[in-house]
Amino acid sequence: MSKIGVLDSGLGGMLMMKHLIQRYPAQDFIFLADQIHSPFGHKTYEQLVNIVNQDIQWLKNQGAESILFACNTISCIQPQDLDQSIRIERVVEPTCAQLSDSKIQKVLVCATPFTVASGVYGKTLIKLYPSLQVESLALPNLCSDVENLTDRDIVIEGLNNQLHPYVHQVDAVVLGCTHFPVYKEAFEQILGCPAYESNQMTLELVSEGTGELSYYTTADAAIFDTQCRCIFQMNIVSSKVEL
Ligand code: DGL
């Protein structure tokens, strides 16, 4: 049976896992949260290439037959810089494909510093919708705020300040980091427009398995389990892997 490896720096990927498990209950998944290297969005391109190739190798050794990057930041890495012996699915295109509503004329993309600097969302959106106006905003702290379980009110106050120039100025916001949907409602309320994110994406390589699920983190497993319980009400038992 075909096991899908799912990779992220942490809780963003776990939120995607929560959706995937509901939609594909018979699929076998192995999830790796490379939390020791979090946040990915502050790394250099070379650092990310090394980290991700190591993670891919580990997932392959565990029996993954394809890998989903449940992460926008690493979805920006050029395919030729990564191990090409395994099929990899990325989140940017499927996320952009959701914006087919012709009433959307101006969009704000919020993402990690790495993703914004790569320009990948702008390029992909313009290719799909040539007349779309795209603005981008890096939110450098939001991923760590989610990982650190920072007080919600403090996070929302920060979002209010950072999003202020865009309030009622855009028709949609794209949450270009899988950690950000933890605050999806806040984005929608503050900006006054709908938010689009990666969690609805369709997996092409789904197979009938037994629904076997395993979870690994490169940081502390007990802390990861607690984070999953507190934020997503998921009771999981993860294991620590040294990478
Ligand atoms: N959740 C990831 C993303 O979608 C990574 C965030 C990070 O580690 O900076 O970009």
Side-chain angles (χ1 to χ4, degrees), residues 52-70:
V52 173
N53 273 320
Q54 207 172 31
D55 293 340
I56 292 172
Q57 190 57 51
W58 184 83
L59 284 165
K60 273 169 60 175
N61 291 344
Q62 303 307 306
E65 285 166 27
S66 64
I67 295 176
L68 167 66
F69 283 173

Side-chain angles (χ1 to χ4, degrees), residues 86-119:
I86 185 161
R87 175 167 171 158
I88 293 173
E89 284 204 57
R90 296 155 183 263
V91 287
V92 175
E93 288 227 17
T95 305
C96 293
Q98 296 174 61
L99 274 85
S100 54
D101 182 346
S102 59
K103 286 199 282 297
I104 302 175
Q105 291 176 351
K106 193 168 176 190
V107 67
L108 174 66
V109 177
C110 294
T112 66
F114 186 95
T115 302
V116 168
S118 80

Side-chain angles (χ1 to χ4, degrees), residues 218-240:
T218 52
D220 186 290
I223 293 178
F224 184 60
D225 296 351
T226 305
Q227 289 172 316
C228 293
R229 204 167 41 250
C230 290
I231 308 192
F232 306 129
Q233 293 76 49
M234 291 176 84
N235 289 314
I236 62 147
V237 180
S238 65
S239 307
K240 178 174 174 160

Side-chain angles (χ1 to χ4, degrees), residues 175-212:
L175 306 183
C177 169
T178 52
H179 282 68
F180 294 2
V182 170
Y183 285 93
K184 184 173 179 174
E185 281 174 18
F187 275 96
E188 290 181 329
Q189 273 170 16
I190 294 168
L191 290 169
C193 68
Y196 292 81
E197 33 107 355
S198 310
N199 284 319
Q200 316 310 334
M201 75 177 273
T202 303
L203 280 183
E204 283 175 21
L205 278 178
V206 179
S207 67
E208 274 302 302
T210 56
E212 189 188 315

Side-chain angles (χ1 to χ4, degrees), residues 26-217:
Q27 174 64 49
D28 300 336
F29 288 107
I30 172 166
F31 176 63
L32 176 59
D34 195 352
Q35 290 183 299
I36 203 85
H37 292 120
S38 171
F40 283 169
H42 291 240
K43 300 272 187 293
T44 66
Y45 189 86
E46 287 69 28
Q47 286 171 329
L48 277 183
V49 167
N50 288 334
I51 291 166
V52 173
N53 273 320
Q54 207 172 31
D55 293 340
I56 292 172
Q57 190 57 51
W58 184 83
L59 284 165
K60 273 169 60 175
N61 291 344
Q62 303 307 306
E65 285 166 27
S66 64
I67 295 176
L68 167 66
F69 283 173
C71 172
N72 293 266
T73 304
I74 62 173
S75 294
C76 301
I77 299 175
Q78 298 291 330
Q80 64 265 28
D81 292 327
L82 296 175
D83 184 336
Q84 289 178 62
S85 64
I86 185 161
R87 175 167 171 158
I88 293 173
E89 284 204 57
R90 296 155 183 263
V91 287
V92 175
E93 288 227 17
T95 305
C96 293
Q98 296 174 61
L99 274 85
S100 54
D101 182 346
S102 59
K103 286 199 282 297
I104 302 175
Q105 291 176 351
K106 193 168 176 190
V107 67
L108 174 66
V109 177
C110 294
T112 66
F114 186 95
T115 302
V116 168
S118 80
V120 69
Y121 263 100
K123 284 178 214 146
T124 310
L125 284 166
I126 296 297
K127 205 167 104 192
L128 287 171
Y129 317 107
S131 61
L132 192 67
Q133 277 178 269
V134 185
E135 302 248 12
S136 298
L137 176 68
L139 296 175
N141 302 323
L142 190 52
C143 172
S144 299
D145 281 336
V146 171
E147 291 286 320
N148 297 335
L149 308 184
T150 304
D151 182 82
R152 246 188 121 74
D153 291 343
I154 294 174
V155 176
I156 290 173
E157 194 186 322
L159 280 179
N160 263 308
N161 292 333
Q162 292 165 95
L163 297 174
H164 183 71
Y166 303 96
V167 172
H168 298 304
Q169 299 299 313
V170 289
D171 305 311
V173 58
V174 173
L175 306 183
C177 169
T178 52
H179 282 68
F180 294 2
V182 170
Y183 285 93
K184 184 173 179 174
E185 281 174 18
F187 275 96
E188 290 181 329
Q189 273 170 16
I190 294 168
L191 290 169
C193 68
Y196 292 81
E197 33 107 355
S198 310
N199 284 319
Q200 316 310 334
M201 75 177 273
T202 303
L203 280 183
E204 283 175 21
L205 278 178
V206 179
S207 67
E208 274 302 302
T210 56
E212 189 188 315
L213 304 170
S214 39
Y215 302 95
Y216 294 89
T217 174

